[in-house]
Amino acid sequence: LVSCYGHAVYAECLYKNDWFCEPVGELLESWEGYRQERIRDLPDSPVDLTCFSELGLREEILMGIEWSMALSTVATFFAFIVLAIMLRNFRQLHLVLLNIGAVGGTTLLIMYPVACYVMDVCVGAPPLFIGVGLAMSIDYSLFLLTRFNEERLDGRSITQSLEIALATQGHTIVVSGATLALCFTSMLVLPTSTITSMAAGAATAVLQSVLVSLSLTPALLLTMPRFFTADRMLGLTLDGTPFGTYRRASSGTVAQFGATIDRPTIIENPQPKKESIWAHVGRCSQRGAPVMFLFLALVMVPFAMALTRFSYVEDLTPLMQTTHPTTKAFLKIRDVYLPDLPPLQLLIVAPSQSAMASREWSLATCHMLQDLATKVTDRMHEEGHDYTMTT
């Protein structure tokens, strides 16, 4: 709904309370009141009434975005628990949290001017690139910190452990991030702003995750080495802090109470490393390459069958909640009318109370609506549509 001055009435009324919002709100309230009265008076009626409006549609989309962000937050809590168990150090979760905050903040700073001056950004883009940044930050932190802790357990100093971690897992992080960013960037060629804006945000989040993981994490590890390497009782102690203790053993610096930067940890009778199950799985996959290829080809079959039923949709449907009543009403209206031309409702607001009561203003409004309907009908017939707009 657009006013005569070009204002987006529903959008303005959703975020602000301008002068033209009051009649819109009153109209929607009256419709909803009529719907509730009819359901109460006629509970067995076969007629199902749903109050559908663009304002309700926008509210539903925003509600869905809020729910997706809430689910991401809940999932992050469980991901952090698993991450802490794998790292065997709850203190290193601070590094992951700082990475997530830095990635989210820098991505928002980059995408904000893009949304203002470069392209229209879909409302689903922020939840997507926040989720991508969240996942990549956790993933890349796991790569880097796991190798760092392994090298520390082998008795190397923090600088040596960090150099090895950056040389090995850092290469993996760069290759992985570049591949994901390239995949998202390739989606920019698609002719829809919804997908291109999501792709731009996701690619930016991936690149920021790589940069932050390879810069912020090593800097923090070198800034507070004793704090982040004290892993006694999974780091749930005061070791390596001003309120804790820093102990030395006769054999050298003990890593579990916090290590120094340059002095390696001397470990007596080091135990040989046990081969992980993933190394065993990878070796078996290499030996049975033909079988793995056949297995992956079979896995692709259901996805290939789904692509045959793929349909291109460029409207608000992908952003709407599947089971919400507004979504069902929107789909019903779209099926009854043309897919690209839903029914239009014009809310005409008089400039004043006196003008609204005058016959001249009423006649001018009727003539304007009739002229609008005639022009729309003629244009639709020229384009080959069997459509007639009535007032």
Side-chain angles (χ1 to χ4, degrees), residues 56 81 144 196 204 210 222 235 266 316 336 342 361 374 378:
I81 294 178
L144 193 64
T196 54
T204 303
V210 174
L222 294 176
I266 301 174
L316 298 176
V336 171
W361 184 83
T374 302
D378 294 341

Side-chain angles (χ1 to χ4, degrees), residues 11-178:
E12 294 295 329
C13 293
L14 186 60
Y15 301 105
K16 295 185 291 186
N17 188 20
D18 289 331
W19 61 272
F20 47 75
C21 296
E22 185 176 353
V24 176
E26 293 177 353
L27 182 62
L28 295 178
E29 290 178 0
S30 63
W31 287 345
E32 182 63 25
Y34 171 76
R35 171 181 175 276
Q36 294 178 359
E37 290 178 0
R38 183 178 178 84
I39 293 176
R40 182 178 62 254
D41 298 339
L42 301 172
D44 299 329
S45 174
V47 180
D48 182 20
L49 297 180
T50 302
C51 183
F52 172 78
S53 66
E54 187 176 349
L55 180 60
L57 188 63
R58 289 177 179 270
E59 291 177 346
E60 179 206 340
I61 293 174
L62 293 179
M63 185 186 302
I65 293 174
E66 293 178 358
W67 270 103
S68 65
M69 297 297 290
L71 290 176
S72 299
T73 304
V74 174
T76 303
F77 175 76
F78 294 101
F80 268 50
I81 294 178
V82 175
L83 183 62
I85 295 174
M86 296 184 68
L87 295 176
R88 298 183 179 89
N89 192 338
F90 277 86
R91 296 187 180 192
Q92 293 181 354
L93 294 183
H94 294 83
L95 299 172
V96 185
L97 281 173
L98 292 173
N99 281 356
I100 293 174
V103 170
T106 53
T107 305
L108 287 173
L109 288 177
I110 294 173
M111 290 302 298
Y112 182 78
V114 171
C116 292
Y117 305 108
V118 179
M119 67 170 66
D120 294 330
V121 176
C122 172
V123 293
L128 176 63
F129 66 68
I130 291 296
V132 170
L134 186 70
M136 294 300 99
S137 296
I138 294 176
D139 199 19
Y140 295 158
S141 296
L142 178 62
F143 289 165
L144 193 64
L145 294 175
T146 300
R147 185 56 184 268
F148 172 79
N149 292 335
E150 289 178 355
E151 298 301 325
R152 287 292 307 140
L153 291 176
D154 287 342
R156 293 182 177 87
S157 66
I158 287 184
T159 53
Q160 293 173 341
S161 301
L162 196 54
E163 289 174 358
I164 296 174
L166 290 174
T168 55
Q169 299 301 326
H171 177 267
T172 304
I173 291 172
V174 171
V175 173
S176 173

Side-chain angles (χ1 to χ4, degrees), residues 313-315 317 330-331 333-343 385:
V313 178
E314 187 176 2
D315 57 14
T317 306
F330 175 79
L331 295 177
I333 293 176
R334 191 187 64 178
D335 293 338
V336 171
Y337 297 87
L338 292 176
D340 298 328
L341 190 64
H385 299 288

